[in-house]
Amino acid sequence: MRKRMSQILTLRRPDDWHLHLRDGAMLRAVLPETTRHFARAIVMPNLVPPVVTAQDAAAYRARIMAAMPEGAEFTPLMTLYLTENTDPEDVAAAHASGLVTAVKLYPAGATTNSASGVRDFDKVRAVLEKMAEIGLPLCVHGEVTDPSVDIFDREAVFIDRVLDPVRRATPGLRVVMEHITTANGVDYVRAHDRDLGATITTHHLVINRNHILVGGIKPHYYCLPVAKREEHRLALRAAATSGDARFFLGTDSAPHIDPLKESACGCAGCFTATNTMSILAHVFEEEGALAQLEAFTSLNGPAFYGLPANETTLTLTKGDPVTYPQKIDTADGPVTVFDPGFPLDWHAT
Ligand code: DOR
Ligand code: ZN
């Protein structure tokens, strides 16, 4: 990172290692929000129907490219949605051709559009073994779906019941624990030197569970995994700002139109693509760690995925508060931009 003056930071251009772009009108509306600041993103496959085969991923990639704003320089990194019927050879061919960068594991029923996910891990054993053999990373939504497990404990229980056994059974499998929300997740990553990384979202560095529930329910702060106690938020902040190469940015920016969020049964997801870099600069400055911001947003992720860091740059300038739109308009309806609850003084250009 080159630090020109105290209030200007120039970073290698960031990447988003976990992003929901959706499809159709929503894709067209939210894609510019990401391409404005980011060079690449791992694109989640939980469409309806999901992106399951190499053919699905190629078609989705073409739709993203067709929606690209004029002049944008952005590379979508495609993923496949792991099902109990996924064919190891289809996955291997998709990887060999450069079409896919990772495979996504959703435990069935864990979150939005996860019904086709995995129930019986024995049924995906051959795919996981093939992935270990060819070095294709598995991105994991790490929550158990057992109804008897409290929603605030689902990540910690997943690590013990599912993640650790799967990793032990599949030596060499490279795993990204997606959107970790607990000190348990941070500790598990720190305890393992090889083949393990974790993404951390912007919003989980900002909110704890009080933000969702105190003083009235705040549907725009509801996401999965749900934000936990303050001690967990602080553990995530410590991990993100530590410079430890195993932790990197995955915003999990997940747009839903307002009527689906502000509802008696509201969808999970925080939409942070628009203001993420300003929020992160604020958070890292608060932690006295601006010098580690580039590692988190621009260096650690490419290193884990074996890709070069971007040569282009993003400049963050501190000044008068930046005004971001409160909502993004889409042809399907408005999408509310995540409100960090503090003024944003860092402007990204
Ligand atoms: O909050 C979330 N929203 N968590 C997920 O895992 C899925 C995502 C979505 O697709 O809306
Ligand atoms: Zn997600």
Side-chain angles (χ1 to χ4, degrees), residues 18-20 44 46 104 106 141 179 224 252 254:
H18 181 133
L19 175 66
H20 296 270
M44 286 296 125
N46 64 332
K104 176 71 190 245
Y106 288 104
H141 183 109
H179 44 52
L224 287 170
D252 198 13

Side-chain angles (χ1 to χ4, degrees), residues 256-278:
H256 294 278
I257 55 167
D258 284 353
L260 296 179
K261 293 284 296 173
E262 299 165 6
S263 149
C265 183
C267 292
C270 296
F271 180 69
T272 55
T274 307
N275 54 6
T276 272
M277 290 308 297
S278 293

Side-chain angles (χ1 to χ4, degrees), residues 31-304:
L31 185 57
E33 301 304 300
T34 285
T35 62
R36 198 171 294 132
H37 297 154
F38 293 89
R40 295 172 289 199
I42 288 269
V43 181
M44 286 296 125
N46 64 332
L47 304 181
V48 189
V51 178
V52 172
T53 63
Q55 203 184 349
D56 298 337
Y60 185 30
R61 188 175 193 286
R63 297 199 296 280
I64 295 169
M65 297 314 287
M68 202 65 74
E70 190 74 26
E73 284 182 31
F74 177 78
T75 307
L77 302 172
M78 306 310 291
T79 60
L80 295 178
Y81 185 119
L82 182 63
T83 75
E84 293 178 0
N85 299 316
T86 295
D87 173 6
E89 293 313 320
D90 185 58
V91 170
H95 175 244
S97 72
L99 174 65
V100 306
T101 304
V103 172
K104 176 71 190 245
L105 164 67
Y106 288 104
T111 186
T112 311
N113 304 333
S114 61
S116 319
V118 177
R119 280 187 179 76
D120 178 354
F121 282 81
D122 286 340
K123 297 206 172 127
V124 294
R125 171 130 311 286
V127 182
L128 299 184
E129 279 167 5
K130 176 57 81 179
M131 289 170 61
E133 183 191 319
I134 63 180
L136 179 60
L138 180 71
C139 295
V140 176
H141 183 109
E143 290 189 286
V144 290
T145 54
D146 179 345
S148 71
V149 177
D150 189 278
I151 192 165
F152 292 101
D153 298 332
R154 287 181 175 196
E155 179 171 300
V157 173
F158 182 89
I159 293 168
D160 294 341
R161 275 196 204 165
V162 182
L163 181 65
D164 197 57
V166 165
R167 290 187 64 246
R168 283 175 195 278
T170 326
L173 180 65
R174 312 200 66 230
V175 171
V176 183
M177 293 171 70
E178 299 284 64
H179 44 52
I180 54 170
T181 58
T182 58
N184 311 65
V186 170
D187 291 345
Y188 187 78
V189 174
R190 285 217 174 104
H192 296 87
D193 283 339
R194 283 174 56 87
D195 300 330
L196 189 62
T199 56
I200 301 177
T201 75
T202 309
H203 48 283
H204 288 116
L205 296 173
V206 174
I207 59 167
N208 63 32
R209 63 194 202 177
N210 280 11
H211 291 85
I212 312 170
L213 296 170
V214 173
I217 194 159
K218 312 290 189 319
H220 295 290
Y221 289 156
Y222 174 62
C223 66
L224 287 170
V226 69
K228 310 294 193 297
R229 290 175 178 275
E230 178 65 357
E231 68 200 57
H232 295 292
R233 185 183 74 104
L234 296 178
L236 297 174
R237 279 196 169 215
T241 59
S242 66
D244 185 325
R246 290 167 290 190
F247 300 104
F248 39 93
L249 174 65
T251 65
D252 198 13
S253 181
H256 294 278
I257 55 167
D258 284 353
L260 296 179
K261 293 284 296 173
E262 299 165 6
S263 149
C265 183
C267 292
C270 296
F271 180 69
T272 55
T274 307
N275 54 6
T276 272
M277 290 308 297
S278 293
I279 298 173
L280 289 175
H282 179 103
V283 166
F284 276 64
E285 184 178 37
E286 229 170 41
E287 298 293 326
L290 277 174
Q292 306 296 350
L293 181 59
E294 185 181 45
F296 183 66
T297 62
S298 317
L299 301 177
N300 297 347
F304 182 90

